[in-house]
């Protein structure tokens, strides 16, 4: 396959890693479930142990304590917290208040899960917006693996958090109003809120980055990752990647494996397959055109690589996508 020579542009490191992060976020197929707007008045305490891949909670009013995996965090209005891996956790107005399972409270009050739940003793009020989330596919595991299991960001009304705080208030108002279609609106807003909050955390807290995220900020590895994402169709070899990184082949391969956690060619194959899956899901391009767009000269070579990665042929995968959509 003929292709114009690659121009090795030394783009600023931060711009390069944000490009790769944007690629990943664009391809994110997020499954968000709104647990509800919880109107809580002191004394109150709730606990969640629901087995979801992750949780996202935002405080739109008041304050509370969060206990998760041995940590105690003080949360206040405008702040939010991710809990990755679905660890059991509890919220309460003070550390002395007893907690009750959230599903039990929904059953007791007759409130609808995903709507407004009112609970507590009539004292100072706290409003908590609660969501569970998960992903289809595995690409974003690279991002999540580089983050702590508990992410807490304090709202300060300025800078990067201002947009998230505005979204928190918007979602809270939509859930409170209960107009027709509010469930769908709240879920879509929750998707935006999740991505915005995640991006804010990644930008604001470099010390939390590890693994794949650390590779993105590495001046040499980040340059390579940016080019792999920009040009999956290029006939990459370990030698050309090493040249781009200004490193010897052996040094580059060892460093990539150590930091990213997989070999350069394995990473490239996974990105190509992920990109191919996205293109099948988002358009009607032929499988031949998709194969060429991710660096395969023949349908047979693409088909073999795809089946090793996905456990099914490209045609089978596309048929499954159409059956689900139909």
């Amino acid at each position: 396959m003929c292709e114009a020579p690659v121009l090795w542009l030394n783009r600023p490191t931060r711009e390069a890693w944000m490009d790769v992060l944007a690629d990943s976020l664009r391809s994110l197929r997020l499954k968000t479930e709104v647990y509800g707007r919880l109107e809580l008045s002191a004394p109150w305490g709730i606990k969640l142990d629901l087995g979801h891949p992750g949780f996202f909670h935002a405080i739109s009013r008041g304050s509370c304590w969060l206990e998760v995996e041995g940590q105690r965090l003080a949360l206040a209005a405008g702040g939010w917290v991710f809990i990755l891996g679905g660890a059991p956790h509890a919220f309460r107005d003070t550390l002395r208040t007893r907690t009750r399972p959230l599903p039990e409270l929904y059953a007791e009050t007759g409130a609808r899960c995903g709507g407004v739940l009112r609970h507590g003793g009539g004292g100072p009020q706290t409003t908590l917006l609660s969501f569970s989330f998960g992903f289809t596919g595995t690409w974003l595991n690279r991002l999540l693996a580089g983050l702590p299991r508990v992410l807490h960001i304090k709202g300060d009304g300025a800078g990067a958090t201002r947009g998230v705080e505005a979204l928190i208030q918007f979602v809270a108002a939509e859930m409170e109003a209960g107009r027709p279609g509010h469930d769908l609106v709240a879920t879509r807003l929750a998707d935006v809120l999740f991505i915005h909050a995640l991006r804010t955390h990644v930008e604001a807290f470099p010390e939390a980055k590890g693994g794949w995220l650390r590779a993105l900020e590495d001046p040499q590895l980040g340059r390579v990752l940016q080019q792999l994402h920009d040009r999956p169709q290029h006939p990459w070899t370990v030698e050309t990647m090493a040249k781009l990184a200004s490193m010897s082949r052996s040094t580059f391969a060892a460093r990539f494996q150590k930091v990213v956690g997989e070999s350069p060619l394995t990473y490239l194959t996974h990105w190509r397959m992920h990109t191919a899956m996205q293109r099948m899901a988002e358009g009607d391009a032929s499988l031949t055109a998709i194969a060429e767009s991710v660096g395969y000269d023949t349908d047979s070579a693409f088909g073999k690589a795809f089946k090793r990665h996905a456990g099914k042929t490209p045609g089978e995968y596309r048929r499954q996508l159409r059956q689900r959509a139909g």
Side-chain angles (χ1 to χ4, degrees):
M1 180 171 61
C2 296
E3 185 175 342
V6 176
L7 297 178
W8 305 132
L9 302 178
N10 290 319
R11 301 173 70 176
T13 300
R14 183 172 180 80
E15 180 183 348
W17 80 256
M18 284 302 294
D19 284 346
V20 179
L21 180 61
D23 281 341
S24 297
L25 291 178
R26 274 194 295 270
S27 66
L28 174 63
R29 281 179 284 172
L30 183 64
K31 294 182 178 179
T32 306
E33 180 178 351
V34 179
Y35 253 78
R37 169 173 168 155
L38 311 181
E39 294 291 350
L40 306 162
S41 58
W44 61 269
I46 60 173
K47 58 184 176 182
L48 296 91
D49 186 5
L50 303 171
H52 289 285
F55 293 93
F56 175 74
H57 302 285
I59 312 298
S60 67
R61 175 176 60 169
S63 61
C64 64
W65 286 92
L66 165 66
E67 294 179 295
V68 56
E69 296 194 330
Q71 300 183 59
R72 289 179 172 177
L73 300 174
L75 308 181
W80 64 92
V81 61
F82 292 106
I83 300 174
L84 306 178
H89 52 287
F91 295 93
R92 58 183 100 202
D93 64 317
T94 73
L95 295 175
R96 297 183 301 274
T97 305
R98 296 180 61 184
T99 61
R100 296 180 60 189
L102 182 58
E104 181 181 298
L105 295 176
Y106 271 113
E108 181 180 286
T109 62
R112 182 180 55 83
C113 186
V116 179
L117 170 71
R118 303 183 190 279
H119 169 68
Q125 294 188 321
T126 295
T127 300
L128 181 67
L129 310 181
S130 294
F131 312 90
S132 66
F133 63 86
F135 310 102
T136 58
T138 60
W139 187 260
L140 260 290
N141 289 345
R142 289 170 171 80
L143 171 59
L144 299 180
L147 298 173
R149 286 171 59 85
V150 180
L151 313 178
H152 174 211
I153 299 180
K154 299 178 181 179
D156 58 11
T161 68
R162 185 186 299 122
V164 179
E165 292 177 63
L167 276 173
I168 289 172
Q169 296 302 327
F170 191 19
V171 173
E174 188 65 31
M175 294 169 71
E176 174 69 17
R179 293 189 293 270
H182 75 278
D183 284 353
L184 179 61
V185 173
T187 299
R188 294 295 180 265
L189 286 172
D191 290 349
V192 175
L193 184 60
F194 175 87
I195 293 172
H196 195 154
L198 181 60
R199 184 179 62 189
T200 299
H201 178 86
V202 170
E203 290 176 341
F205 292 91
E207 71 277 5
K209 303 187 187 85
W212 185 66
L213 289 171
R214 186 157 58 91
L216 294 185
E217 289 206 310
D218 183 284
Q220 294 164 297
L221 297 184
R223 191 184 314 143
V224 172
L225 291 175
Q226 186 263 325
Q227 287 288 339
L228 296 183
H229 279 242
D230 276 358
R231 301 172 68 88
Q233 75 279 14
H234 184 72
W236 293 102
T237 64
V238 177
E239 288 80 2
T240 58
M241 295 183 209
K243 181 179 179 181
L244 176 59
S246 302
M247 302 168 69
S248 72
R249 183 189 187 283
S250 59
T251 301
F252 168 76
R255 184 167 169 186
F256 194 102
Q257 178 76 47
K258 180 178 179 180
V259 176
V260 180
E262 57 191 334
S263 74
L265 293 180
T266 298
Y267 181 93
L268 173 62
T269 299
H270 287 167
W271 176 247
R272 284 172 165 171
M273 295 302 103
H274 176 77
T275 302
M277 289 176 172
Q278 291 299 310
R279 291 175 181 172
M280 287 184 214
E282 295 169 358
D284 296 321
S286 69
L287 294 180
T288 297
I290 291 173
E292 292 177 352
S293 75
V294 294
Y296 290 88
D297 290 331
T298 67
D299 289 352
S300 61
F302 173 62
K304 289 177 182 177
F306 192 94
K307 189 166 185 178
R308 282 196 301 269
H309 177 81
K312 60 196 69 175
T313 67
E316 290 169 342
Y317 182 79
R318 173 165 268 179
R319 283 193 293 274
Q320 285 187 357
L321 288 176
R322 288 173 175 170
Q323 288 170 359
R324 292 170 189 161

